[in-house]
PDB file of all heavy atoms in Angstrom:
ATOM      1  N   GLY A  62      -8.067  15.313 -23.553  1.00 90.00           N
ATOM      2  CA  GLY A  62      -8.701  14.276 -22.793  1.00 90.00           C
ATOM      3  C   GLY A  62      -7.920  13.697 -21.660  1.00 90.00           C
ATOM      4  O   GLY A  62      -8.117  12.748 -20.975  1.00 90.00           O
ATOM      5  N   LEU A  63      -6.779  14.518 -21.287  1.00 91.00           N
ATOM      6  CA  LEU A  63      -5.863  14.075 -20.128  1.00 91.00           C
ATOM      7  C   LEU A  63      -6.521  14.746 -18.869  1.00 91.00           C
ATOM      8  O   LEU A  63      -7.232  15.724 -18.833  1.00 91.00           O
ATOM      9  CB  LEU A  63      -4.466  14.596 -20.338  1.00 91.00           C
ATOM     10  CG  LEU A  63      -3.786  14.052 -21.625  1.00 91.00           C
ATOM     11  CD1 LEU A  63      -2.408  14.671 -21.730  1.00 91.00           C
ATOM     12  CD2 LEU A  63      -3.700  12.604 -21.591  1.00 91.00           C
ATOM     13  N   LEU A  64      -6.242  14.053 -17.746  1.00 90.00           N
ATOM     14  CA  LEU A  64      -6.753  14.425 -16.405  1.00 90.00           C
ATOM     15  C   LEU A  64      -6.027  15.532 -15.868  1.00 90.00           C
ATOM     16  O   LEU A  64      -4.715  15.555 -15.756  1.00 90.00           O
ATOM     17  CB  LEU A  64      -6.809  13.268 -15.537  1.00 90.00           C
ATOM     18  CG  LEU A  64      -7.672  12.100 -15.945  1.00 90.00           C
ATOM     19  CD1 LEU A  64      -7.361  10.875 -15.110  1.00 90.00           C
ATOM     20  CD2 LEU A  64      -9.148  12.439 -15.810  1.00 90.00           C
ATOM     21  N   VAL A  65      -6.729  16.549 -15.393  1.00 84.00           N
ATOM     22  CA  VAL A  65      -6.104  17.728 -14.597  1.00 84.00           C
ATOM     23  C   VAL A  65      -7.011  18.039 -13.460  1.00 84.00           C
ATOM     24  O   VAL A  65      -8.179  17.672 -13.457  1.00 84.00           O
ATOM     25  CB  VAL A  65      -5.797  18.959 -15.512  1.00 84.00           C
ATOM     26  CG1 VAL A  65      -4.879  18.658 -16.677  1.00 84.00           C
ATOM     27  CG2 VAL A  65      -7.207  19.456 -16.106  1.00 84.00           C
ATOM     28  N   THR A  66      -6.528  18.725 -12.483  1.00 80.00           N
ATOM     29  CA  THR A  66      -7.339  19.132 -11.391  1.00 80.00           C
ATOM     30  C   THR A  66      -8.417  20.163 -11.900  1.00 80.00           C
ATOM     31  O   THR A  66      -8.081  21.032 -12.657  1.00 80.00           O
ATOM     32  CB  THR A  66      -6.539  19.704 -10.223  1.00 80.00           C
ATOM     33  OG1 THR A  66      -5.681  20.766 -10.753  1.00 80.00           O
ATOM     34  CG2 THR A  66      -5.669  18.689  -9.529  1.00 80.00           C
ATOM     35  N   GLY A  67      -9.553  20.101 -11.275  1.00 76.00           N
ATOM     36  CA  GLY A  67     -10.648  20.925 -11.650  1.00 76.00           C
ATOM     37  C   GLY A  67     -10.812  22.195 -10.691  1.00 76.00           C
ATOM     38  O   GLY A  67     -10.026  22.448  -9.804  1.00 76.00           O
ATOM     39  N   SER A  68     -11.922  22.970 -10.991  1.00 70.00           N
ATOM     40  CA  SER A  68     -12.052  24.251 -10.311  1.00 70.00           C
ATOM     41  C   SER A  68     -12.353  24.006  -8.798  1.00 70.00           C
ATOM     42  O   SER A  68     -11.853  24.826  -7.968  1.00 70.00           O
ATOM     43  CB  SER A  68     -13.294  24.995 -10.910  1.00 70.00           C
ATOM     44  OG  SER A  68     -14.476  24.247 -10.855  1.00 70.00           O
ATOM     45  N   ARG A  69     -12.998  22.860  -8.442  1.00 71.00           N
ATOM     46  CA  ARG A  69     -13.265  22.677  -7.003  1.00 71.00           C
ATOM     47  C   ARG A  69     -11.925  22.462  -6.253  1.00 71.00           C
ATOM     48  O   ARG A  69     -11.734  22.986  -5.080  1.00 71.00           O
ATOM     49  CB  ARG A  69     -14.155  21.414  -6.816  1.00 71.00           C
ATOM     50  CG  ARG A  69     -15.646  21.715  -7.041  1.00 71.00           C
ATOM     51  CD  ARG A  69     -16.225  22.503  -5.933  1.00 71.00           C
ATOM     52  NE  ARG A  69     -17.674  22.608  -6.057  1.00 71.00           N
ATOM     53  CZ  ARG A  69     -18.474  21.718  -5.620  1.00 71.00           C
ATOM     54  NH1 ARG A  69     -18.022  20.684  -4.859  1.00 71.00           N
ATOM     55  NH2 ARG A  69     -19.806  21.877  -5.743  1.00 71.00           N
ATOM     56  N   PHE A  70     -11.057  21.708  -6.843  1.00 68.00           N
ATOM     57  CA  PHE A  70      -9.702  21.516  -6.225  1.00 68.00           C
ATOM     58  C   PHE A  70      -8.943  22.721  -6.099  1.00 68.00           C
ATOM     59  O   PHE A  70      -8.301  23.071  -5.042  1.00 68.00           O
ATOM     60  CB  PHE A  70      -8.976  20.415  -6.939  1.00 68.00           C
ATOM     61  CG  PHE A  70      -7.608  20.036  -6.317  1.00 68.00           C
ATOM     62  CD1 PHE A  70      -7.557  19.145  -5.270  1.00 68.00           C
ATOM     63  CD2 PHE A  70      -6.476  20.628  -6.775  1.00 68.00           C
ATOM     64  CE1 PHE A  70      -6.391  18.866  -4.650  1.00 68.00           C
ATOM     65  CE2 PHE A  70      -5.263  20.310  -6.184  1.00 68.00           C
ATOM     66  CZ  PHE A  70      -5.255  19.388  -5.067  1.00 68.00           C
ATOM     67  N   ALA A  71      -8.957  23.517  -7.234  1.00 75.00           N
ATOM     68  CA  ALA A  71      -8.235  24.783  -7.178  1.00 75.00           C
ATOM     69  C   ALA A  71      -8.808  25.725  -6.093  1.00 75.00           C
ATOM     70  O   ALA A  71      -8.067  26.471  -5.479  1.00 75.00           O
ATOM     71  CB  ALA A  71      -8.349  25.474  -8.560  1.00 75.00           C
TER      72      ALA A  71
END
Side-chain angles (χ1 to χ4, degrees):
L63 300 178
L64 297 167
V65 295
T66 52
S68 60
R69 281 288 187 90
F70 183 80

